[in-house]
Amino acid sequence: MKRRTGSGFDAFMSYSHARDRDLAPLLQREVERFATPWYRLRSSRIFRDNANLAASSALWESIEEGLSASKWFILLASPLAAASPWVDKEVGWWLANRSPRRLVIGLTDGEFASADGVSADVLPPALRAIPFTEPRWVDLRPLREAEEIGRRAPRFVDAVADLAAAVREVPKDDLVGAHLRYHRRAMRLFIVGVLGLVVLLATSTVAAVVAVEQRNTAQVQTMNATSRQLVAQAARMEDTQPDLARQLLAEAYRLSPSTQVVGALLNSAKLPVVFPAPGLSRGVVFSPKRDILAIAGDFGVKLQDLNLPRSVAALEGSKSTSAVAFSPDDHLLATGGSDGTVRLFDVQRPESAKLVLRAPIANGGVGVLAFDPRAPVLLVLGGGVLSVLDIADPGKPRLVVQRPDFGGSDAAMALSHDARHLASSGKDSTVNLWDFSDPANPVLASSINGHSNGVTALAFSPDDGTLASGSLDDTARLWNVADPRHAVPYSTMAGPSLGISAVAYAPDGKTLATGAGDGTISLWNVSDPFRVRQQAVLPGHTDGVRVLAFTSDSRYLASGSTDGAAGDQAVGKDNSTVRVWPVAGAVRSAAMAQLPVGTFGPAFSPDGRTLAAGFPTTLWDLRDGARPARLSSVTTFNQGGQTSAFSPDGQVLATGVPALLWDVTDRGKPRSLTPEGRQEDGAKTALFSPDGKVLALAGYVTPLQLWTVSGGKPKLAGEIRRDAVGEGDVAFSPDSSLVTVAAREGLTIWNIRDLAHPERMSTITTSAGIKSAVFAGDSKTLVTGDSAGTVTVWRLSPGSPAQLVSSSSRHGGTVRSLSVYPAGHLLASADDNGSVLVWDITDPAHVDEVADLATGGHRGGQDIAFSPDGRVLAAVGESITTLWNTDAAGILGRNCAVSRPISENDWNHYLPDLPFDPPCE
C-alpha cells in the first residue's frame, strides 16, 4: 500500500472523553498501523481530540490546526458525544470548511437510525441539519465488552478495517489482504528472530550457568580451605586459648561441615573450660552432688555453674578468701579468710545462699578447711593452729579444741576420708601424721621424712591407705600410711623445676594430679603405687598452679593458677584463672559420660534413648546423655556374661543362648517372654538383622544360631557350625541377605536367604586374624579390623574374591569392634588397649582418621556402637562404658555456651576476608 506523504493528518477523531476514553486511543493506534509493514511505524496519522480539556483560545487554535490539516473526520457518536459542546464545535467547523462526504461515524452507544430516519440522540446539533441519505457509519457498539477489544478480536479487527479503508480511500478487501500479508511476513520474521534469540539466550545461559558453577565451586573451595585452616589453628591453641579455639571450630563448621571439622568437634569436648577470676584464686572445690564449683580468692567466693560461663552467686566474704570447703551433705559451704574469719553459708539454694555464721577463729589467715564426715565438725588450720569446731548448730559453733604448733603459717593439711587421721606439713620438710579418732585430742602418730624442701600439698587416697605429698624439692611422693605409726614410702614422682604446689587424688583412687610452679599439671596412674606412670600433662596455665580438685565422679579436674590471664586475653598480673579439665583416668577425655558397667554391650534401642550394657545386663535412660539414669536389669547368664540386642521396634530385648526374650515396653520393669527357656550359654554375639526378621546369637561354646521371632516367640531356623565361628565378630549386610563371621580361618561370608541352609559365599584371609567386621553403606563395601591393629576396606563382588580398597594401621592393639555412623560417612573402631578412633570413610579409597577418643585406659573387649539416631557413641570396656556426644549441633551448642564470643580483633586476625559475624551469636 502507498504511504501517505506530507505533514498533515489522514483523519481527525472527535469523541466523548467520558464515554470513549479507552476505546478512542486504541482505535487511533490500530487504524494507523493497520496493513503496515513491520519496519514502518504507521501508514496513516490521526489527530485525536480530548473532549474534556478546559476551553481556551489557545486550545481551540490547536484543534483548528488539526482540523485544517486532516483529510477525514471520524466521529465516535454516542449520546454523551452529542451533548458535548466541543464535539459539536469540531463537527460544525468541519461542515463549514470540508465536505460532509469525508465524515465517517463510528457508533459506540445509542441508536443511529429509527423509523423516522437518523436518530438525533447520537448526533451533535451541528450534524442534525445535514440530510443523510446513505450515511457512512460503522457499528462499534459490540466493542463494549472487554473480550471484543484487542488486536486479535475478530469484530475489533473488522471495525478497524472499515475505518482504515475509509480514511485511506482503499477498498476494504484490498486493505485486509495487505494486512494479512504483512502480518504473515512479520510473524515469519518474528519466529526467525525468536529462534535466534533463543539460541543466543541458550548460549548465554549455558555460559552463565558455567560461570556461576565455576564461581560457586571456587567459593566452596575457598570455604573448605578456610575451614581446614581454622581447624588447624584451633588445634594449635586448644591449650593456651580454649575459648577462641571453640569459636574458630564453630566458624569452621559453619563454613564447611566436613568430617574433618566433625572430628575436631568430637575432640573439642576435652578442652578445658576457663573461668576468669578478678584477683588471685586461692581455693577451688566442687559441690559433691551438683555441677557447681566454688572459687575462693581475693574477690571473696564465687559459685560457678559448670555448664555455663557465669557465676551462680557471689558470696559475702573477706577481701581475701584463702580456703573453701563443702560439707559432705552438700548443704553448707565453709570459707576462711586471711583475717582468720570463718564463714558458713547455707547453699542448698546456691543462687540465694545465706550466711549462717561469721566468726573469727584463727589468729592468722585460714589456710585449710575440712569437714569431718562422721559428725558435724569443721577443722580450721591457720596461723599454725588447728581449731576443731562443733557445728551441730551452724549458727552457734562450739570450739572443741585448739592445738597450737600445728605447722607453719602456710602449712598444708589433709583429713582422711574416714576422718580418723590427719596429715600436716611440718616446719622442717616433714609430714606429720595425727591420730584424729578423738577430734578433741589429736595425737601425733609419726613424722615422715623424705622431702628435701618444704611440703606444700597433701592428699589422702580414697581408701586412706596412701598419702600423697608435694614439695618445693620438685617431687611428689606416695606413702603407705595403712599403719600411720609406720609410714613406708611407695614411689617418687619427679616434677618441673619450680616445685610441686598442689596435689589431688581422684575419688576413683586410680589417678593423682600434681600441679607445679611452672603452670603444668601432670596426671599419674597410681593404680599400682609402686609403679606410678605419668600418662598426661595438661599445659595452659602460664604461672604456678595453686590448687587442684576433682569432681566426685573423677571426670573433671579443677585447677587454679596465678597466671594473669582471664579467658583468652591477658589482664593484670594480679588476676588469675580457674580451669576445669575433662579427664578419664589419667588422660584427657572428650567423653560425655561414663557408666559403672562394662564387659558386654552396648545395645541401643532404635530411638537411641535406651542403652543395654554391662554385667548384669542393665538398661540406661540416655535422654540426658550427660547424666544417664539406671532403669533396670535383666537376668544374666552367670558364666561369662552376655551381650544383648533390641528388636527393630524397640519392644523386645534378646539375650542368651538359646534365645531369651524380654518385653521392655516398660523399661523399668522388663518381663520375660520366654519363661520356659533354659539358658545354656552366655551370648557373645546378639544381633538383629536390619529387616528385623533374623536374630543372630553366638555363645562361647555354641554355633552361630539364626532365629526367627514371631509374636514374641523365638524359633531356631538355622546354624553355622562352630569351627567356622571362632571368637570374632558377626555382621549383617544392609539388605539382610548376608552375614559375616570372623572365624579362625578368616572372615567368612554367608548367604542366609535360606536360613535352614546357610551357604558360604567367600572367605577373606589376612596375615593377621580378622576380629571384627561391619558393612559400610551398602552390601558391597565391607570394613574389617584385625589383630595387628589394621582397619581395612574391602569391595565385594559376587563370584569374585574380595578386593582390598584401602587400609590403615593406627591402632596399637587388636581391633575388636567397628561401627558405622547412621549417615554412613564416619566409622568408629575400638581396640583392646582402650583406644577409640573415628574415621572419615566418605571415600573408601582414602580412609582418614579424624578423631582419637580416650576411654581412660579401661582395657578389655571394647565393644563399640553408634546410636541409631547418631547422637551417641558408646564403648564398653572391662569395667566402664564410655559415652561420647556425636551430635555436631549439640557439641556446637555446648561450645558456644561455655566460651566467650570471638572478639572483632580476633575475627579480623583469623578471618580477614570475611565480615565480622560471630558464629555463636
Side-chain angles (χ1 to χ4, degrees):
M1 302 303 297
K2 293 183 180 179
R3 185 183 180 188
R4 186 198 63 79
T5 59
S7 58
F9 296 95
D10 291 288
F12 181 98
M13 183 178 289
S14 180
Y15 65 99
S16 167
H17 183 78
R19 174 65 183 81
D20 297 315
R21 63 180 178 272
D22 296 326
L23 179 61
L26 183 60
L27 283 172
Q28 176 195 13
R29 182 172 66 251
E30 293 304 317
V31 169
E32 288 179 339
R33 286 201 47 77
F34 194 78
T36 300
W38 65 272
Y39 51 84
R40 290 181 182 174
L41 179 63
R42 56 178 173 251
S43 292
S44 59
R45 293 182 68 202
I46 297 177
F47 185 98
R48 178 169 55 86
D49 175 27
N50 188 333
N52 281 3
L53 293 175
S56 68
S57 58
L59 175 61
W60 175 249
E61 290 176 1
S62 298
I63 292 174
E64 191 174 20
E65 290 177 0
L67 288 166
S68 300
S70 300
K71 295 180 180 180
W72 286 81
F73 189 98
I74 299 175
L75 171 64
L76 300 186
S78 67
L80 289 177
S84 170
W86 280 98
V87 173
D88 184 59
K89 188 174 182 178
E90 292 165 352
V91 171
W93 186 94
W94 186 266
L95 295 177
N97 296 280
R98 296 285 191 272
S99 170
R101 296 180 180 277
R102 287 190 170 270
L103 187 148
V104 180
I105 299 174
L107 182 64
T108 64
D109 194 17
E111 296 294 333
F112 186 73
S114 65
D116 299 330
V118 177
S119 173
D121 293 340
V122 298
L123 298 179
L127 196 57
R128 295 172 189 169
I130 303 299
F132 284 93
T133 56
E134 294 181 1
R136 191 168 186 176
W137 69 286
V138 179
D139 190 359
L140 301 179
R141 288 173 297 177
L143 305 184
R144 295 173 183 172
E145 303 297 332
E147 60 269 15
E148 296 294 342
I149 300 178
R151 302 185 65 182
R152 297 183 180 180
R155 291 187 179 184
F156 181 76
V157 173
D158 186 66
V160 169
D162 284 332
L163 294 176
V167 299
R168 296 189 199 176
E169 302 177 29
V170 176
K172 179 180 177 181
D173 291 343
D174 293 347
L175 194 64
V176 170
H179 178 75
L180 293 175
R181 288 195 303 275
Y182 290 144
H183 178 72
R184 286 193 293 267
R185 188 179 303 166
M187 288 303 298
R188 287 196 297 270
L189 292 173
F190 173 76
I191 292 172
V192 171
V194 167
L195 290 175
L197 289 174
V198 168
V199 173
L200 180 61
L201 178 61
T203 303
S204 60
T205 300
V206 170
V209 168
V210 171
V212 170
E213 289 181 348
Q214 291 176 340
R215 183 197 64 190
N216 291 343
T217 300
Q219 289 177 343
V220 169
Q221 290 174 343
T222 299
M223 289 191 293
N224 288 342
T226 304
S227 178
R228 290 193 297 269
Q229 181 181 3
L230 292 177
V231 170
Q233 290 169 328
R236 288 194 292 269
M237 67 177 63
E238 62 181 13
D239 293 322
T240 57
Q241 296 176 286
D243 278 2
L244 182 55
R246 290 187 180 94
Q247 294 288 310
L248 295 185
L249 288 178
E251 180 61 20
Y253 187 84
R254 183 165 65 171
L255 290 173
S256 176
S258 65
T259 50
Q260 181 191 22
V261 180
V262 171
L265 287 175
L266 294 181
N267 274 324
S268 70
K270 70 180 181 182
L271 301 184
V273 177
V274 180
F275 299 110
L280 295 180
S281 56
R282 304 176 185 275
V284 294
V285 63
F286 287 103
S287 163
K289 299 179 181 180
R290 293 170 289 181
D291 292 340
I292 294 175
L293 174 68
I295 304 173
D298 293 344
F299 43 85
V301 177
K302 292 197 306 180
L303 298 183
Q304 193 78 47
D305 186 337
L306 294 179
N307 299 307
L308 295 171
R310 63 177 179 84
S311 293
V312 175
L315 306 184
E316 175 191 351
S318 60
K319 183 178 180 181
S320 179
T321 302
S322 51
V324 62
F326 277 100
S327 63
D329 63 5
D330 206 24
H331 291 173
L332 297 175
L333 179 72
T335 69
S338 58
D339 60 356
T341 301
V342 172
R343 291 173 171 81
L344 282 178
F345 294 89
D346 182 341
V347 291
Q348 296 182 69
R349 299 185 62 183
E351 66 279 1
S352 56
K354 298 179 180 179
L355 180 67
V356 296
L357 170 67
R358 178 180 178 180
I361 299 297
N363 293 328
V366 176
V368 183
L369 292 168
F371 282 92
D372 187 332
R374 301 168 301 176
V377 171
L378 177 67
L379 281 66
V380 182
L381 178 62
V385 177
L386 174 65
S387 301
V388 180
L389 299 178
D390 182 341
I391 54 171
D393 182 351
K396 298 178 180 179
R398 181 176 63 86
L399 182 63
V400 177
V401 68
Q402 275 191 328
R403 180 68 181 259
D405 300 325
F406 219 81
S409 59
D410 56 352
M413 182 184 75
L415 181 66
S416 65
H417 295 81
D418 63 7
R420 295 181 180 277
H421 298 94
L422 185 140
S424 65
S425 60
K427 297 181 179 180
D428 52 357
S429 306
T430 61
V431 175
N432 295 322
L433 287 175
W434 302 82
D435 184 340
F436 203 64
S437 302
D438 180 4
N441 186 31
V443 177
L444 180 65
S446 64
S447 293
I448 303 174
N449 295 297
H451 285 292
S452 59
N453 206 336
V455 175
T456 56
L458 294 166
F460 279 98
S461 63
D463 64 2
D464 293 328
T466 304
L467 177 69
S469 59
S471 169
L472 295 176
D473 64 5
D474 303 334
T475 66
R477 293 175 178 259
L478 296 183
W479 308 89
N480 182 342
V481 292
D483 181 357
R485 295 170 299 176
H486 302 94
V488 178
Y490 271 135
S491 54
T492 301
M493 295 157 280
S497 59
L498 297 180
I500 303 298
S501 50
V503 295
Y505 254 106
D508 64 10
K510 299 177 181 179
T511 304
L512 179 74
T514 61
D518 66 350
T520 60
I521 301 165
S522 296
L523 297 180
W524 306 84
N525 185 329
V526 292
S527 300
D528 182 350
F530 288 104
R531 297 174 179 84
V532 174
R533 292 179 291 119
Q534 184 185 44
Q535 289 191 277
V537 175
L538 311 182
H541 286 299
T542 57
D543 207 340
V545 176
R546 298 178 61 92
V547 288
L548 293 169
F550 280 96
T551 53
S552 58
D553 60 5
S554 304
R555 293 198 54 243
Y556 293 95
L557 172 68
S559 60
S561 169
T562 56
D563 53 9
D568 292 335
Q569 299 177 354
V571 293
K573 65 180 181 179
D574 291 333
N575 290 270
S576 58
T577 63
V578 171
R579 293 184 170 220
V580 176
W581 309 80
V583 295
V587 297
R588 295 175 68 171
S589 172
M592 172 174 59
Q594 287 188 322
L595 308 178
V597 294
T599 308
F600 296 100
F604 283 99
S605 61
D607 61 6
R609 296 182 178 182
T610 307
L611 174 72
F615 180 83
T617 301
T618 304
L619 301 184
W620 297 85
D621 184 346
L622 298 185
R623 283 177 293 182
D624 182 353
R627 298 172 180 81
R630 186 183 182 280
L631 296 171
S632 60
S633 296
V634 299
T635 304
T636 304
F637 192 63
N638 61 3
Q639 295 182 13
Q642 63 191 29
T643 58
S644 57
F646 280 94
S647 62
D649 62 7
Q651 297 181 4
V652 175
L653 184 72
T655 65
V657 178
L660 298 182
L661 303 183
W662 300 84
D663 181 348
V664 290
T665 305
D666 182 347
R667 300 287 199 253
K669 297 179 180 179
R671 179 177 62 87
S672 177
L673 296 174
T674 53
E676 72 285 356
R678 180 179 179 182
Q679 191 168 352
E680 299 173 358
D681 196 0
K684 192 179 71 65
T685 295
L687 188 66
F688 275 96
S689 61
D691 62 8
K693 296 180 180 179
V694 180
L695 170 64
L697 294 172
Y700 291 86
V701 296
T702 54
L704 175 63
Q705 300 179 347
L706 303 176
W707 296 74
T708 58
V709 178
S710 177
K713 301 298 182 181
K715 180 180 179 181
L716 182 62
E719 293 183 345
I720 296 176
R721 66 183 185 275
R722 180 64 195 170
D723 60 357
V725 177
E727 300 179 355
D729 203 4
V730 175
F732 281 104
S733 62
D735 63 5
S736 302
S737 66
L738 303 176
V739 65
T740 67
V741 180
R744 298 183 185 92
E745 60 194 271
L747 184 78
T748 57
I749 303 173
W750 299 77
N751 185 326
I752 58 169
R753 286 187 172 91
D754 182 355
L755 293 177
H757 302 92
E759 177 187 359
R760 181 184 293 196
M761 303 296 294
S762 60
T763 301
I764 301 175
T765 59
T766 60
S767 57
I770 294 176
K771 299 298 183 182
S772 55
V774 67
F775 283 89
D778 56 32
S779 298
K780 297 180 179 179
T781 305
L782 183 70
V783 184
T784 63
D786 62 29
S787 58
T790 302
V791 174
T792 305
V793 181
W794 305 86
R795 191 67 176 169
L796 304 182
S797 299
S800 301
Q803 179 183 0
L804 191 153
V805 178
S806 62
S807 64
S808 179
S809 300
R810 298 284 294 171
H811 281 283
T814 299
V815 180
R816 294 288 182 183
S817 185
L818 298 165
S819 181
V820 174
Y821 188 73
H825 59 284
L826 293 176
L827 169 78
S829 58
D831 64 31
D832 52 9
N833 288 331
S835 176
V836 175
L837 302 181
V838 180
W839 309 80
D840 176 6
I841 57 170
T842 306
D843 180 2
H846 300 89
V847 177
D848 297 318
E849 178 190 335
V850 295
D852 184 350
L853 305 177
T855 61
H858 296 286
R859 296 172 175 268
Q862 288 302 328
D863 286 329
I864 195 167
F866 281 104
S867 63
D869 60 5
R871 296 188 305 112
V872 179
L873 174 65
V876 177
E878 58 186 356
S879 59
I880 293 292
T881 296
T882 304
L883 306 179
W884 291 272
N885 184 357
T886 53
D887 175 24
I891 298 172
L892 287 169
R894 173 166 172 76
N895 281 354
C896 287
V898 300
S899 60
R900 295 177 304 147
I902 187 171
S903 68
E904 188 167 2
N905 286 338
D906 284 334
W907 179 280
N908 293 335
H909 178 74
Y910 292 100
L911 294 155
D913 298 326
L914 295 178
F916 181 56
D917 184 18
C920 289
E921 292 185 352

